[in-house]
Amino acid sequence: MLLPPDLRDWVPENDLAHFIIEAVERVDMAAFKINERGCGSAQYNPRMMLALVIYCYANGIFSSRRIERATHRDVGVRLVAANTHPDHDTIAAFRLKNFDAIANCFLQVLLLAKELKLLKVGTVSIDGTKVDANANITKSVRYDRAKKLAEKLEADIADLMQKAEAADASGETDSQALPKDIARREALRDKLDAACKTLERRAKAKAEKEKADYEKKMKEREKREGRAKGPPPKNPEEKESFGKPEPDEQISLTDADSAIMRKSKRSEYRQAYNAQAVVDADGSQLVVGAEVSQCASDSGELAKDIASIPKEVGKPSDALADNGFANGDEVQKVEDQDINVLVATGAEGRQREYDFRPEKPGKEPKEPKAQWLKDMAAKLETEEGRKKYRLRQQTVEPVFGIIKSVLGFRQFSLRGIDKVRGEWKLVALAYNFKRLHNLVLAKQKSEAQASAAAA
């Protein structure tokens, strides 16, 4: 039962490992961050490390320690790792420093799909899903509470300092325990102070944006005449809390960039991120764009999601999204790029032709007031609009189902919005490899059957 001289003898020819090894060869070496000085232990091949991380993510192995263990126990992982065993610190450092290489590989996989004529960016489906952050919701604190706790800790630290001085003077033996208590409280105080400063910085940035939007609206109003001017917009500077955090605004002490969100009104609140995906709806179901938002709502994400599609892949002709993306400004930004947008104007469940749920008396569906909503509703009522929009649910929803249920990815391993964006791109890349591999196998099988039938 010794391992064979060539590990490929133990891995099936149609295994994903072979496909990943070949595809990673297309990635430019310039995208990798390596130790240029050449000091320390011998370095692992960066392409091998990238293939190792992708293969493990595609098989539901996300922890660097579990990846290290798999290089010993899993034959497929052992093949991708070239029978080497990088330790978990090396794997974690590589993943953390090489998000540019991951983005490059994400592009190369999509270009490979285009070369194989398996991807044609035409209609895309867009949606978001909540993914848990690497933080516990119990470690979230309100702004007003953080201020009070910081003051209390300051007083406790001063009291402990006096006790420590008294213990030193009296020569008591347990005086060494006091510095540890002081250090622990100082660390918590510093965390709370940093959290408060982050909330204050965000409040100032929000105030500047609100002020700029107000000035823009005022200039546009001045151009109009008579009744067309309408009522003047509210000046945000008149608010008492302008430029200051709200007392009930919360922040996590573990991952300050994450937020408290919930999937729906029937779900519990979680410390999470809003992971966005743009999926090809023309048959391949490949993820062509991936983004992460810190906002629970999808209403401001449509333009960003479209911008996440690499230019080299192409520009979509149609974009499909549910009513969570119903934002007139965002729709207009995308349509200005000559992209036809189809967004649901109401809950999709209400539009079922044969609804099995009992009717709710006294609740008539509201007619849209905004002109863009009326135009969108008219567009969705056409035969072509209904035909296109049906693709949304059956293309993007299964992708999230596979990522969460098949791959098992339900929580980010990294902290901070930049690192989380990089990890979400890695997850999308792993899914794309798995999907493209299946598409290639299906194409080869179809061609073989056609050849056999012709013979």
XYZ file of all heavy atoms in Angstrom, residues 324-395:
586
model
N -35.305 43.484 -4.122
C -34.364 44.083 -3.176
C -33.433 45.078 -3.835
O -32.868 45.951 -3.173
N -33.262 44.968 -5.150
C -32.400 45.880 -5.906
C -33.186 47.032 -6.534
O -32.637 47.759 -7.363
C -31.673 45.106 -7.011
C -30.648 44.132 -6.508
C -31.004 42.847 -6.129
C -29.311 44.494 -6.414
C -30.071 41.940 -5.669
C -28.363 43.598 -5.948
C -28.746 42.319 -5.569
N -34.463 47.175 -6.170
C -35.317 48.200 -6.778
C -34.928 49.590 -6.291
O -35.452 50.096 -5.296
C -36.782 47.914 -6.476
N -33.987 50.188 -6.972
C -33.508 51.536 -6.661
C -33.380 52.283 -7.991
O -32.593 51.893 -8.853
C -32.160 51.454 -5.940
C -31.618 52.813 -5.544
O -31.751 53.795 -6.268
N -30.984 52.878 -4.381
N -34.160 53.353 -8.150
C -34.204 54.073 -9.416
C -32.860 54.610 -9.855
O -32.500 54.517 -11.042
N -32.081 55.154 -8.919
C -30.769 55.711 -9.271
C -29.819 54.621 -9.741
O -29.073 54.801 -10.716
C -30.175 56.445 -8.066
C -30.981 57.677 -7.680
O -31.657 58.229 -8.561
O -30.924 58.078 -6.504
N -29.818 53.474 -9.035
C -28.936 52.372 -9.418
C -29.328 51.795 -10.780
O -28.463 51.493 -11.607
C -29.000 51.272 -8.356
C -28.363 51.639 -7.035
C -26.850 51.737 -7.121
O -26.219 50.797 -7.630
O -26.304 52.767 -6.692
N -30.625 51.649 -11.005
C -31.098 51.142 -12.293
C -30.687 52.072 -13.426
O -30.242 51.632 -14.486
C -32.631 50.947 -12.258
C -33.165 50.646 -13.660
C -33.003 49.818 -11.306
N -30.802 53.372 -13.176
C -30.435 54.343 -14.209
C -28.941 54.295 -14.525
O -28.532 54.384 -15.683
C -30.822 55.755 -13.747
C -30.691 56.830 -14.818
C -31.566 56.562 -16.023
O -32.748 56.275 -15.878
N -30.980 56.625 -17.215
N -28.109 54.115 -13.482
C -26.658 54.029 -13.703
C -26.311 52.853 -14.616
O -25.450 52.968 -15.485
C -25.937 53.843 -12.356
C -25.885 55.079 -11.489
C -25.178 54.756 -10.174
C -25.218 55.927 -9.222
N -24.591 55.587 -7.917
N -26.992 51.733 -14.420
C -26.708 50.542 -15.220
C -27.266 50.701 -16.629
O -26.612 50.352 -17.618
C -27.285 49.287 -14.533
C -27.072 48.052 -15.411
C -26.620 49.078 -13.179
N -28.466 51.247 -16.734
C -29.070 51.428 -18.061
C -28.320 52.459 -18.892
O -28.360 52.410 -20.122
C -30.538 51.815 -17.922
C -31.405 50.661 -17.428
C -32.887 50.986 -17.441
O -33.214 52.199 -17.379
O -33.701 50.046 -17.493
N -27.630 53.382 -18.241
C -26.787 54.353 -18.966
C -25.608 53.663 -19.655
O -24.977 54.253 -20.532
C -26.272 55.430 -18.007
C -27.378 56.397 -17.587
O -28.422 56.418 -18.257
O -27.190 57.119 -16.582
N -25.305 52.431 -19.228
C -24.236 51.649 -19.853
C -24.764 50.757 -20.980
O -24.097 49.831 -21.416
C -23.546 50.775 -18.798
C -22.990 51.533 -17.614
C -22.456 50.617 -16.527
O -21.809 49.601 -16.811
N -22.722 50.950 -15.269
N -25.997 51.047 -21.438
C -26.653 50.256 -22.494
C -26.886 48.812 -22.060
O -26.714 47.870 -22.836
C -25.832 50.287 -23.793
C -25.761 51.684 -24.392
O -26.742 52.438 -24.242
O -24.729 52.027 -24.987
N -27.266 48.642 -20.806
C -27.606 47.322 -20.265
C -29.077 47.351 -19.868
O -29.501 48.211 -19.086
C -26.736 46.958 -19.051
C -25.254 46.911 -19.441
C -27.155 45.631 -18.449
C -24.309 46.726 -18.263
N -29.855 46.451 -20.391
C -31.275 46.369 -20.073
C -31.454 45.739 -18.692
O -30.966 44.640 -18.444
C -32.006 45.543 -21.133
C -33.489 45.432 -20.837
O -34.118 46.387 -20.392
N -34.052 44.254 -21.066
N -32.132 46.450 -17.795
C -32.306 45.982 -16.416
C -33.749 45.535 -16.214
O -34.689 46.238 -16.593
C -31.951 47.086 -15.404
C -32.165 46.595 -13.976
C -30.520 47.538 -15.595
N -33.914 44.370 -15.626
C -35.228 43.861 -15.242
C -35.213 43.601 -13.744
O -34.543 42.680 -13.271
C -35.560 42.575 -15.999
C -35.810 42.712 -17.510
C -35.966 41.344 -18.146
C -37.034 43.562 -17.781
N -35.904 44.450 -12.984
C -35.959 44.345 -11.531
C -37.408 44.189 -11.113
O -38.277 44.940 -11.578
C -35.346 45.599 -10.858
C -35.480 45.510 -9.352
C -33.893 45.750 -11.233
N -37.683 43.239 -10.252
C -39.049 43.034 -9.769
C -39.515 44.274 -9.011
O -38.764 44.849 -8.222
C -39.108 41.803 -8.874
N -40.748 44.684 -9.255
C -41.295 45.872 -8.599
C -42.047 45.521 -7.318
O -42.530 46.388 -6.619
C -42.239 46.614 -9.555
O -43.267 45.705 -9.993
C -41.484 47.137 -10.772
N -42.172 44.248 -7.028
C -42.841 43.787 -5.815
C -42.328 42.413 -5.441
O -41.486 41.843 -6.135
N -42.830 41.889 -4.341
C -42.416 40.551 -3.915
C -42.794 39.535 -4.979
O -43.926 39.523 -5.471
C -43.069 40.196 -2.576
N -41.832 38.675 -5.337
C -42.079 37.722 -6.417
C -43.170 36.726 -6.062
O -43.865 36.213 -6.935
C -40.776 36.988 -6.765
C -39.737 37.897 -7.379
C -38.445 37.149 -7.680
O -38.512 36.007 -8.154
O -37.370 37.716 -7.430
N -43.343 36.440 -4.777
C -44.368 35.489 -4.365
C -45.769 35.947 -4.717
O -46.679 35.142 -4.928
N -45.986 37.279 -4.782
C -47.318 37.793 -5.091
C -47.648 37.642 -6.572
O -48.781 37.803 -6.987
C -47.397 39.274 -4.716
C -47.244 39.530 -3.222
C -47.195 41.008 -2.948
N -46.850 41.302 -1.558
C -46.449 42.484 -1.145
N -46.318 43.486 -1.999
N -46.155 42.682 0.124
N -46.654 37.378 -7.391
C -46.861 37.331 -8.824
C -47.122 35.912 -9.321
O -47.159 35.677 -10.515
C -45.636 37.923 -9.536
C -45.372 39.365 -9.152
C -44.061 39.872 -9.704
O -43.374 39.171 -10.435
N -43.703 41.092 -9.369
N -47.295 34.942 -8.387
C -47.544 33.569 -8.803
C -48.920 33.467 -9.454
O -49.905 33.986 -8.927
C -47.484 32.626 -7.608
C -46.112 32.565 -6.947
C -46.175 31.722 -5.689
N -44.905 31.718 -4.987
C -44.733 31.209 -3.775
N -45.759 30.675 -3.141
N -43.556 31.241 -3.192
N -48.966 32.749 -10.561
C -50.238 32.576 -11.253
C -51.178 31.688 -10.450
O -52.381 31.943 -10.370
C -49.991 31.978 -12.633
C -51.233 31.920 -13.495
C -50.931 31.445 -14.896
O -49.742 31.194 -15.202
O -51.875 31.321 -15.685
N -50.634 30.630 -9.842
C -51.422 29.724 -9.009
C -50.780 29.707 -7.621
O -49.869 28.919 -7.349
C -51.453 28.324 -9.617
C -51.999 28.293 -11.030
C -51.137 28.181 -12.115
C -53.368 28.425 -11.262
C -51.643 28.181 -13.404
C -53.868 28.419 -12.550
C -53.005 28.301 -13.622
O -53.486 28.311 -14.894
N -51.243 30.597 -6.754
C -50.663 30.741 -5.423
C -51.387 29.808 -4.459
O -52.611 29.891 -4.288
C -50.792 32.194 -4.961
C -49.853 32.516 -3.821
O -49.371 31.564 -3.183
O -49.599 33.706 -3.574
N -50.647 28.876 -3.831
C -51.253 27.905 -2.913
C -51.554 28.508 -1.549
O -52.236 27.888 -0.734
C -50.318 26.689 -2.734
C -48.957 27.040 -2.234
C -48.719 27.232 -0.890
C -47.891 27.198 -3.116
C -47.462 27.557 -0.421
C -46.636 27.525 -2.657
C -46.411 27.708 -1.312
N -51.070 29.706 -1.260
C -51.286 30.305 0.054
C -52.661 30.956 0.127
O -53.175 31.442 -0.887
C -50.205 31.347 0.336
C -48.808 30.770 0.380
C -47.754 31.844 0.425
N -47.808 32.702 -0.746
C -46.998 33.724 -0.971
N -46.082 34.033 -0.080
N -47.114 34.450 -2.062
N -53.273 31.001 1.319
C -54.602 31.631 1.433
C -54.522 33.136 1.193
O -53.515 33.774 1.495
C -55.005 31.320 2.882
C -53.715 31.091 3.595
C -52.792 30.463 2.601
N -55.594 33.687 0.647
C -55.632 35.120 0.383
C -55.741 35.894 1.694
O -56.375 35.459 2.648
C -56.824 35.452 -0.507
C -56.727 34.863 -1.909
C -57.906 35.264 -2.764
O -58.766 36.017 -2.253
O -57.965 34.833 -3.927
N -55.099 37.059 1.710
C -55.172 37.937 2.876
C -56.159 39.050 2.575
O -55.875 39.926 1.747
C -53.793 38.502 3.210
C -52.812 37.444 3.691
C -51.487 38.072 4.065
C -50.503 37.007 4.562
N -49.198 37.605 4.926
N -57.333 39.034 3.199
C -58.344 40.053 2.885
C -57.905 41.444 3.316
O -57.229 41.621 4.326
C -59.567 39.586 3.686
C -59.004 38.754 4.789
C -57.784 38.101 4.231
N -58.312 42.415 2.516
C -58.039 43.816 2.852
C -56.668 44.308 2.484
O -56.315 45.438 2.774
N -55.851 43.481 1.845
C -54.500 43.896 1.466
C -54.366 43.860 -0.048
O -54.082 42.819 -0.633
C -53.445 43.012 2.120
C -53.254 43.296 3.593
C -51.966 42.665 4.100
C -51.700 43.064 5.546
N -50.430 42.524 6.043
N -54.624 44.977 -0.659
C -54.478 45.097 -2.105
C -53.045 45.483 -2.433
O -52.429 46.283 -1.715
C -55.436 46.159 -2.645
C -56.900 45.800 -2.501
C -57.293 44.666 -3.415
O -56.642 44.500 -4.464
O -58.231 43.921 -3.067
N -52.475 44.932 -3.496
C -51.110 45.333 -3.869
C -51.053 46.813 -4.239
O -51.927 47.325 -4.943
C -50.807 44.447 -5.088
C -52.137 43.985 -5.589
C -53.038 43.921 -4.401
N -50.052 47.500 -3.720
C -49.926 48.939 -3.953
C -49.442 49.214 -5.373
O -48.567 48.520 -5.886
C -48.943 49.548 -2.949
C -49.439 49.477 -1.509
C -48.418 50.119 -0.574
C -48.904 50.045 0.868
N -47.919 50.654 1.802
N -50.027 50.224 -5.968
C -49.588 50.639 -7.295
C -48.313 51.465 -7.166
O -48.214 52.332 -6.285
C -50.670 51.482 -7.981
C -51.917 50.702 -8.354
C -51.626 49.690 -9.456
O -50.734 49.971 -10.294
O -52.265 48.631 -9.469
N -47.311 51.220 -8.005
C -46.078 52.014 -7.924
C -46.329 53.478 -8.267
O -47.113 53.794 -9.163
C -45.167 51.345 -8.961
C -46.086 50.630 -9.900
C -47.261 50.217 -9.082
N -45.697 54.367 -7.528
C -45.863 55.805 -7.754
C -44.786 56.370 -8.666
O -45.055 57.214 -9.516
C -45.854 56.546 -6.412
C -47.031 56.211 -5.511
C -46.971 57.004 -4.220
C -48.172 56.671 -3.320
N -48.114 57.447 -2.043
N -43.537 55.950 -8.476
C -42.438 56.483 -9.291
C -42.604 56.039 -10.747
O -43.029 54.917 -11.026
C -41.109 56.012 -8.737
N -42.252 56.948 -11.665
C -42.422 56.652 -13.084
C -41.549 55.480 -13.526
O -41.972 54.643 -14.325
C -42.085 57.899 -13.912
C -42.357 57.751 -15.399
C -43.806 57.424 -15.696
O -44.718 58.002 -15.122
N -44.023 56.472 -16.602
N -40.325 55.391 -12.967
C -39.439 54.310 -13.388
C -39.986 52.946 -12.961
O -39.819 51.951 -13.668
C -38.028 54.520 -12.835
C -37.825 54.104 -11.414
C -37.974 54.883 -10.300
C -37.462 52.801 -10.954
N -37.721 54.141 -9.170
C -37.396 52.868 -9.545
C -37.170 51.594 -11.578
C -37.060 51.780 -8.760
C -36.837 50.500 -10.799
C -36.785 50.588 -9.406
N -40.713 52.928 -11.815
C -41.328 51.685 -11.372
C -42.480 51.281 -12.294
O -42.665 50.099 -12.603
C -41.833 51.838 -9.941
C -40.794 51.701 -8.826
C -41.404 52.053 -7.482
C -40.215 50.299 -8.778
N -43.244 52.278 -12.743
C -44.337 51.994 -13.678
C -43.785 51.451 -14.993
O -44.322 50.494 -15.557
C -45.157 53.257 -13.924
C -45.900 53.758 -12.693
C -46.667 55.034 -13.003
C -47.389 55.548 -11.767
N -48.113 56.815 -12.032
N -42.695 52.072 -15.474
C -42.075 51.602 -16.720
C -41.520 50.191 -16.563
O -41.630 49.358 -17.465
C -40.951 52.561 -17.138
C -41.462 53.960 -17.472
O -42.676 54.082 -17.745
O -40.666 54.910 -17.434
N -40.912 49.921 -15.388
C -40.352 48.596 -15.136
C -41.455 47.542 -15.058
O -41.318 46.425 -15.601
C -39.536 48.601 -13.840
C -38.797 47.313 -13.544
S -37.520 46.917 -14.772
C -36.350 48.248 -14.457
N -42.567 47.892 -14.395
C -43.691 46.961 -14.294
C -44.260 46.643 -15.672
O -44.589 45.485 -15.969
C -44.772 47.538 -13.390
N -44.342 47.657 -16.532
C -44.842 47.444 -17.893
C -43.886 46.549 -18.685
O -44.312 45.690 -19.466
C -45.025 48.784 -18.596
N -42.581 46.740 -18.459
C -41.582 45.931 -19.155
C -41.670 44.467 -18.730
O -41.535 43.557 -19.546
C -40.183 46.485 -18.853
C -39.086 45.960 -19.779
C -37.706 46.338 -19.278
C -37.495 47.819 -19.206
N -36.080 48.144 -18.835
N -41.931 44.228 -17.423
C -42.015 42.866 -16.910
C -43.314 42.165 -17.306
O -43.404 40.939 -17.249
C -41.888 42.871 -15.387
C -40.498 43.168 -14.822
C -40.564 43.431 -13.332
C -39.547 42.018 -15.109
N -44.331 42.940 -17.682
C -45.605 42.341 -18.083
C -45.593 41.846 -19.523
O -46.486 41.090 -19.918
C -46.736 43.358 -17.885
C -47.087 43.580 -16.423
C -48.116 44.688 -16.244
O -48.549 45.256 -17.286
O -48.458 44.988 -15.099
N -44.598 42.259 -20.299
C -44.507 41.788 -21.681
C -44.065 40.323 -21.704
O -43.450 39.825 -20.751
C -43.517 42.638 -22.490
O -42.203 42.482 -21.942
C -43.915 44.108 -22.451
N -44.366 39.644 -22.790
C -44.006 38.234 -22.910
C -42.492 38.042 -22.857
O -41.982 37.131 -22.194
C -44.560 37.665 -24.219
C -44.326 36.177 -24.377
C -44.931 35.621 -25.653
O -45.703 36.352 -26.308
O -44.625 34.465 -25.983
N -41.753 38.931 -23.532
C -40.290 38.839 -23.541
C -39.723 39.113 -22.156
O -38.787 38.446 -21.708
C -39.709 39.822 -24.556
C -38.205 39.739 -24.684
C -37.639 40.772 -25.645
O -38.427 41.537 -26.242
O -36.406 40.812 -25.797
N -40.287 40.119 -21.469
C -39.824 40.448 -20.122
C -40.034 39.311 -19.150
O -39.148 38.977 -18.359
N -41.222 38.659 -19.207
C -41.492 37.526 -18.316
C -40.570 36.353 -18.624
O -40.078 35.675 -17.723
C -42.958 37.091 -18.452
C -43.953 38.052 -17.844
C -45.297 37.375 -17.634
N -45.850 36.907 -18.902
C -46.638 37.609 -19.710
N -46.973 38.864 -19.354
N -47.104 37.114 -20.833
N -40.338 36.119 -19.911
C -39.483 35.006 -20.320
C -38.056 35.191 -19.812
O -37.435 34.245 -19.305
C -39.484 34.900 -21.844
C -38.670 33.730 -22.379
C -38.725 33.681 -23.892
C -37.877 32.544 -24.438
N -37.882 32.508 -25.923
N -37.537 36.403 -19.903
C -36.171 36.674 -19.433
C -36.095 36.607 -17.918
O -35.159 36.035 -17.355
C -35.705 38.039 -19.929
C -35.310 38.078 -21.391
C -34.760 39.444 -21.762
C -34.303 39.479 -23.209
N -33.790 40.810 -23.605
N -37.101 37.194 -17.249
C -37.013 37.290 -15.796
C -37.119 35.925 -15.118
O -36.634 35.747 -14.005
C -38.081 38.229 -15.247
C -37.844 38.583 -13.800
C -36.861 39.498 -13.449
C -38.554 37.955 -12.784
C -36.601 39.799 -12.123
C -38.311 38.247 -11.454
C -37.325 39.167 -11.136
O -37.069 39.454 -9.820
N -37.760 34.957 -15.792
C -37.855 33.611 -15.213
C -36.478 32.993 -14.980
O -36.316 32.105 -14.139
C -38.664 32.701 -16.139
C -40.158 32.958 -16.118
C -40.917 31.834 -16.785
N -42.242 32.264 -17.198
C -42.584 32.575 -18.440
N -41.684 32.463 -19.418
N -43.808 32.956 -18.725
N -35.489 33.439 -15.738
C -34.141 32.876 -15.604
C -33.471 33.264 -14.288
O -32.547 32.593 -13.844
C -33.258 33.354 -16.767
C -33.648 32.892 -18.170
C -32.793 33.616 -19.202
C -33.484 31.387 -18.299
N -33.925 34.343 -13.652
C -33.227 34.859 -12.475
C -33.142 33.823 -11.366
O -32.055 33.456 -10.914
C -33.925 36.126 -11.961
C -33.130 36.863 -10.875
C -34.000 37.667 -9.977
N -34.800 36.833 -9.107
C -34.367 36.273 -7.988
N -33.120 36.435 -7.607
N -35.164 35.528 -7.253
N -34.294 33.347 -10.923
C -34.323 32.450 -9.768
C -33.627 31.122 -10.050
O -32.989 30.551 -9.166
C -35.771 32.215 -9.339
C -35.892 31.543 -7.977
C -37.322 31.500 -7.489
O -38.254 31.615 -8.276
N -37.509 31.350 -6.200
N -33.726 30.616 -11.262
C -33.175 29.298 -11.559
C -31.697 29.330 -11.917
O -31.109 28.287 -12.189
C -33.970 28.644 -12.696
C -33.820 29.339 -14.022
C -34.858 28.891 -15.036
O -36.053 28.854 -14.743
N -34.414 28.549 -16.225
N -31.093 30.524 -11.914
C -29.665 30.615 -12.233
C -28.820 31.061 -11.046
O -27.816 30.431 -10.720
C -29.441 31.578 -13.412
O -30.133 32.820 -13.171
C -29.938 30.975 -14.708
